[in-house]
Amino acid sequence: MTLSLSRRAERFPDRTAVVDISEERLYAPAETISEERLTYGDLSTLADWAGARLSGLDIDPGDTVCLVSRNRVLSLALLFACRRLGATLAPISHLLTPVTVERPFDAIDPELVVAEPAQRDLVRSIPFDQSVTLEELTTVSPEADWRDESDASNPLLCLHGDGGQPVAGFSARTLEWNCITALVTWGITQDDVAPLVAPLSTPDGLFRLALPLLYAGGQLLLDRAFDPGDALTAIAAENATLLAGRTPALRDLAAEPAFDDAIGSIERVIADATVEDDVLEPYREVSGAISGTENGNGNGNGNKSERRNTNANGIAVSRAYGRLECPTVLAQSVERNRETPDGERADAQSVPGAVGRPVLDCRVRLVGDGDAELEGAGTGRLQVTGPIVADERAPPVGSESKADTRAETEREHETVESDATDADSSAAGRFVDGWFDTGHLFARDEDGRYVRR
């Protein structure tokens, strides 16, 4: 298999790839969603449309395109368009501030910035003046012969950390290995349907859910921005089977009055390692849904009036740990997260910070004082290597004085991050002799399971 969208469009052109559940009106009532369904054939056609217009704006192989937008189908199409063009896509989070939005551009030197109109204030703060809105992109004259068939040496994707730094580059091959790892770790298949509750500009949104799901031929429920009421409505309507998120989204979903009635089709929850056990309890307690049939998308995901059975002991939960540079390193096995006959949870679920074992295609080691590798059980800094790790951390561009001036300005505007998203520790990680040192302490037991310290 490859990361090729066109291959999937050729194999199952009429299978639903994305359901855009965004509200039609900006101020529509909660739990009011519209449904625009795109097949894999539609998504591939949209990628061609975007690629031809990027080429019409003189984007060539090796160039970089920044995207400032909330979650949109076009965001996915632009990624595959850049793959076909041999260019790099660098999503810029719309959650950055006018101060922090400058940070990624210390490492990214784009040829073009594409932005949705809602981000015009943020775009004004970007230290780059060649930009187009999504609407303006539709008016660009497409280039007829724009595909590049050569093997690009530049990364296909660049992602930045939560506060705008650092920036890591991923080749198409690295993205594919991350997709394969997710499929094997969590059993993602073409039968899975999942809502996206994280931005596509984050590793959580792209690596843990959106790309693996599309890689497998599944169905993605895409909302412009996360709303728990809308998400639950879509979960119930589309018989979603998979959910991945961090504390804010998982907590807000469980707090909704419709949670118990809507969540019954979910079979697996992939929770970030920072999610506390009490946030996950409502998901483990869900059971007793009604079995369903196919909904007509060719994936066998049940119809809109029926929901699939869940395990009698609740939804299977898998905690996962990763970093920007290595989106998923450790994960609990969903098969062994069920309760045992005596009522005890398997895989050390009761241990705070437990995140299971290393995922496949990833080597890990613990190092102690003097960077000496630790054998057997012990506690040390986690280092990782393998095909799922970012190909590079982009070096800063521009003058040192510019970076110093920006750092001084940011200190004056610095605020405390309230969400536990590893934003501060991202800067501490580093590549050392072919390994990525996460800077995080873990304990490893005799069975090879890891616990965050």
Side-chain angles (χ1 to χ4, degrees), residues 85-267:
L85 189 58
T88 299
L89 181 68
I92 305 297
S93 173
H94 70 281
L95 299 177
L96 294 177
T97 69
V99 173
T100 59
V101 75
E102 296 185 10
R103 293 177 182 174
F105 293 90
D106 282 338
I108 301 172
D109 189 15
E111 278 67 35
L112 179 69
V113 174
V114 180
E116 63 176 356
Q119 311 307 325
R120 61 175 64 89
D121 291 339
L122 202 58
V123 172
R124 291 192 188 102
S125 300
I126 292 177
F128 188 78
D129 57 5
Q130 186 176 348
S131 63
V132 296
T133 65
L134 296 179
E135 285 74 9
E136 291 169 342
L137 189 63
T138 65
T139 66
V140 174
S141 298
E143 187 74 28
D145 185 19
W146 60 273
R147 283 175 177 260
D148 178 70
E149 302 299 334
S150 63
D151 293 329
S153 59
N154 55 294
L156 169 58
L157 178 72
C158 281
L159 291 181
H160 63 73
D162 294 327
Q165 290 179 335
V167 173
F170 301 86
S171 67
R173 187 60 174 163
T174 303
L175 263 65
E176 183 180 5
W177 273 114
N178 275 273
C179 290
I180 294 171
T181 296
L183 266 61
V184 174
T185 302
W186 295 302
I188 299 174
T189 72
Q190 66 178 24
D191 293 329
D192 277 312
V193 179
L196 184 64
V197 300
L200 284 170
S201 58
T202 65
D204 287 5
L206 272 177
F207 285 92
R208 285 194 186 165
L209 188 64
L211 289 181
L213 192 61
L214 295 176
Y215 190 88
Q219 180 176 302
L220 183 68
L221 308 180
L222 186 70
D223 202 353
R224 201 76 74 238
F226 172 68
D227 177 273
D230 292 346
L232 287 176
T233 300
I235 287 171
E238 300 296 334
N239 296 314
T241 58
L242 180 66
L243 176 64
R246 290 179 179 256
T247 297
L250 296 177
R251 180 187 57 217
D252 291 351
L253 286 170
E256 286 289 309
F259 175 78
D260 290 336
D261 293 331
I263 206 71
S265 62
I266 294 293
E267 299 170 350

Side-chain angles (χ1 to χ4, degrees), residues 410-425:
E410 290 172 356
R411 282 193 295 270
E412 296 174 359
H413 295 83
E414 193 173 41
T415 57
V416 177
E417 298 284 347
S418 59
D419 187 19
T421 57
D422 295 340
D424 294 336
S425 56

Side-chain angles (χ1 to χ4, degrees), residues 398-411:
S399 66
E400 183 176 350
S401 59
K402 174 185 174 183
D404 290 342
T405 301
R406 180 168 300 160
E408 182 178 352
T409 303
E410 290 172 356
R411 282 193 295 270

Side-chain angles (χ1 to χ4, degrees), residues 203-204 208 246 272-274 319-331 355 382 384 421-422 425-426 436 438 440 442 452:
D204 287 5
R208 285 194 186 165
R246 290 179 179 256
D272 188 73
T274 57
R319 275 199 180 89
Y321 164 83
R323 292 282 303 255
L324 167 68
E325 297 83 355
C326 40
T328 302
V329 176
L330 305 170
V355 283
L382 185 72
V384 302
T421 57
D422 295 340
S425 56
S426 292
F436 179 73
T438 67
H440 291 162
F442 279 84
R452 177 83 182 268

Side-chain angles (χ1 to χ4, degrees), residues 370-400:
D371 290 341
E373 183 174 356
L374 304 178
E375 301 291 342
T379 300
R381 290 195 328 278
L382 185 72
Q383 294 185 344
V384 302
T385 190
I388 66 169
V389 180
D391 303 279
E392 60 182 4
R393 177 180 278 183
V397 297
S399 66
E400 183 176 350

